[in-house]
Amino acid sequence: MALELYLDLYSQPCRSVYIFAKKNNIPFDLRRLSLLDGEQYGEEFGKINMIRKAPALRDGDFCLAESIAILLYLAEKFQTPDFWYPADLQQRARVNEYLSWQHMAIRMHGSKMFWLRLLIPKVLGVEVPQDKLDAALEDLNGSLKLIEENSSRTALHRRRPHLIGRPGRHCGGHAARGLRPGCFRGETQAERLEGQSPGRHRKGAV
Ligand SMILES: N[C@@H](CCC(=O)N[C@@H](CS)C(=O)NCC(=O)O)C(=O)O
């Protein structure tokens, strides 16, 4: 039985997992989940992930939650090329450093922008005050600036530019490869979805 990924592509961590699996030609069955419809609260999904959040993975009898844990599981199980999750101790530690940091930085600030710019005004129909938007954007820009400064400074970048992306293009630039930029892209591609209709929804279900 093929590995299954339970994803809602409106969700940033789900997109990181999806992009990573696709880029590595990892065979999987996509189990689409609509968080806006509250499908995470259904009986079937409860058996896959008791914390009822997406993404989730099922590989035979084995179920796994948390996007970072899923990314690492896939990288190790499918032995993806070394630049994704390097075998070298210190390079791997550098990737782990980003993956640990991003939860409270890019993830948190990106998620806030998604709520303020898409879900609250377009789905819930409530206008968001400009000062709230400005403050959220400033937080997000703070994290992006940190990545840019760090990328352009480190010696590691000169030796292995694909690990952390090219200076001036954040680590999500087209030339950037690896788990760090992969995870970053999932977080920042919400903008592309903004023109689309989220379809059926239930208020407050996310
Ligand atoms: N730390 C988790 C976060 C997962 C998460 O918060 N997922 C959200 C979508 S982005 C979700 O499933 N929300 C549904 C809910 O809270 O009911 C990860 O990285 O996988």
Side-chain angles (χ1 to χ4, degrees):
M1 191 167 127
L3 183 146
E4 296 168 304
L5 292 175
Y6 290 76
L7 308 175
D8 178 334
L9 295 179
Y10 282 105
S11 143
Q12 297 91 323
C14 289
R15 285 199 297 275
S16 300
V17 169
Y18 181 79
I19 291 167
F20 181 75
K22 283 284 185 191
K23 282 265 172 205
N24 283 290
N25 297 318
I26 291 172
F28 68 94
D29 285 342
L30 176 59
R31 300 275 178 250
R32 284 181 184 273
L33 197 68
S34 171
L35 297 173
L36 285 172
D37 284 335
E39 287 177 4
Q40 68 275 36
Y41 302 116
E43 201 183 324
E44 194 210 341
F45 189 66
K47 291 182 199 148
I48 309 295
N49 181 4
M50 61 187 278
I51 52 177
R52 296 182 179 278
K53 303 232 180 242
L57 165 152
R58 175 156 66 182
D59 188 8
D61 292 337
F62 179 71
C63 294
L64 189 65
E66 289 293 324
S67 58
I68 303 302
I70 294 171
L71 288 168
L72 298 181
Y73 179 82
L74 294 177
E76 287 173 353
K77 172 163 177 152
F78 292 95
Q79 301 189 345
T80 53
D82 193 69
F83 63 78
W84 285 102
Y85 194 51
D88 176 88
L89 177 68
Q90 292 182 358
Q91 289 181 14
R92 179 167 284 210
R94 190 63 70 208
V95 176
N96 289 337
E97 180 186 53
Y98 176 83
L99 295 176
S100 304
W101 171 79
Q102 56 85 32
H103 285 293
M104 296 300 288
I106 297 290
R107 169 88 255 270
M108 191 170 78
H109 302 317
S111 170
K112 197 162 178 191
M113 286 306 292
F114 184 62
W115 271 90
L116 297 180
R117 289 192 58 185
L118 181 73
L119 292 181
I120 295 178
K122 300 206 170 123
V123 178
L124 301 179
V126 175
E127 200 177 322
V128 175
Q130 191 59 42
D131 61 317
K132 292 252 182 308
L133 269 173
D134 291 345
L137 191 59
E138 202 179 316
D139 285 342
L140 181 59
N141 277 337
S143 294
L144 295 174
K145 200 161 162 247
L146 251 177
I147 292 178
E148 272 195 345
E149 286 172 1
N150 186 50
S151 302
S152 55
R153 261 195 225 122
T154 59
L156 182 63
H157 176 266
R158 284 192 288 280
R159 279 184 283 124
R160 293 270 189 279
H162 51 264
L163 279 175
I164 49 183
R166 299 194 188 288
R169 304 183 66 182
H170 307 308
C171 70
H174 293 305
R177 298 190 299 168
L179 262 182
R180 291 214 277 179
C183 182
F184 177 91
R185 277 192 206 108
E187 199 60 56
T188 52
Q189 288 189 351
E191 298 289 314
R192 290 195 185 173
L193 292 168
E194 282 194 23
Q196 299 175 17
S197 160
R200 290 176 303 136
H201 65 270
R202 212 169 66 188
K203 283 189 181 179
V206 174

